[in-house]
Amino acid sequence: MTGVPASAAGGTGRRPAPGAKLGAAAVNQASLWNIANILTMIRLVLVPGFVLLLLADGGYDPVWRAWAWAAFAVAMITDIFDGHLARTYDLVTDFGKIADPIADKAIMGSALICLSWLGELPWWVTGVILGRELGITLLRFWVIRYGVIPASRGGKMKTLAQGTAVGMYVLVLTGPLATLRFWVMALAVVLTVVTGLDYIRQAIVLRRQGLAAERAAR
């Protein structure tokens, strides 16, 4: 007993109504429907539409490829804004943490696989990029008990280079632009490998520091 009335302690002295917890849960669930998560869901929905547009009429029609590029561009733009909005306006949710990277990898992976299937892009390029993304994701889980590997400036440059290169390959380009897209993709592959190796280095350092801290705590 504290001797303080329930009303003075900030309560009413009555038990919460039976539906109070249910109402709170509904409010929390509604918070999932924020602008950042909606943009992420739009990006997920765009993936099958993008694939259909890219492969329409055999996959070589310039008009359908232009529409596919438009869908890809919208997906890339929403990728930029959803994370920014979530961090700026405190809209980060568990759904967003899971769905955002899935949407990123789905749109990029589908584009690379379709382009390689059409013969526009060598399969080894697709393998390097997708292998790097999968490997870094597994690496993050491997060291997550010791900390989080932050996104680096090089990683952001890699994402920009990949998006630009893939977008150029989605379009039917000839002449100097076709040559330019080759070099942009080459830059994207180099950044993919270099940043991947840097993430491995960071993961090893982070794990060593975590193990050392655990030994010291014992």
Side-chain angles (χ1 to χ4, degrees):
M1 296 290 290
T2 62
V4 180
S7 58
T12 61
R14 296 189 299 271
R15 291 185 177 181
K21 292 184 178 179
L22 183 60
V27 171
N28 291 335
Q29 184 65 23
S31 67
L32 292 175
W33 293 94
N34 60 60
I35 184 62
N37 286 346
I38 290 173
L39 289 176
T40 298
M41 286 185 276
I42 289 174
R43 197 155 73 257
L44 284 169
V45 172
L46 280 173
V47 174
F50 163 75
V51 172
L52 290 175
L53 291 169
L54 182 57
L55 300 181
D57 198 17
Y60 299 102
D61 186 284
V63 176
W64 287 114
R65 293 279 286 265
W67 281 108
W69 177 87
F72 184 80
V74 171
M76 292 296 99
I77 292 171
T78 60
D79 180 30
I80 294 172
F81 282 102
D82 63 358
H84 174 73
L85 290 171
R87 291 186 297 270
T88 302
Y89 298 102
D90 196 22
L91 301 175
V92 178
T93 63
D94 290 337
F95 170 81
K97 291 177 183 178
I98 296 172
D100 183 66
I102 291 176
D104 296 344
K105 290 173 177 56
I107 190 69
M108 184 61 68
S110 62
L112 289 167
I113 291 172
C114 287
L115 288 170
S116 291
W117 186 74
L118 291 171
E120 300 277 354
L121 198 64
W123 278 105
W124 70 264
V125 172
T126 295
V128 167
I129 294 177
L130 295 186
R132 185 267 192 198
E133 297 303 325
L134 177 60
I136 296 303
T137 299
L138 295 176
L139 197 65
R140 287 179 184 275
F141 281 111
W142 182 52
V143 299
I144 196 168
R145 61 177 292 189
Y146 306 113
V148 176
I149 304 175
S152 64
R153 181 176 299 179
K156 294 177 181 178
M157 291 175 59
K158 177 269 303 179
T159 301
L160 177 61
Q162 284 183 1
T164 303
V166 170
M168 294 179 74
Y169 270 88
V170 169
L171 289 170
V172 179
L173 300 178
T174 57
L177 288 177
T179 302
L180 177 62
R181 73 179 182 181
F182 169 84
W183 290 110
V184 176
M185 180 59 76
L187 174 63
V189 171
V190 170
L191 289 173
T192 296
V193 174
V194 171
T195 56
L197 293 174
D198 183 59
Y199 274 120
I200 293 174
R201 179 193 62 80
Q202 291 185 61
I204 293 173
V205 171
L206 185 61
R207 187 171 186 273
R208 285 177 178 173
Q209 292 175 343
L211 292 173
E214 288 181 350
R215 285 193 294 268
R218 296 194 191 102

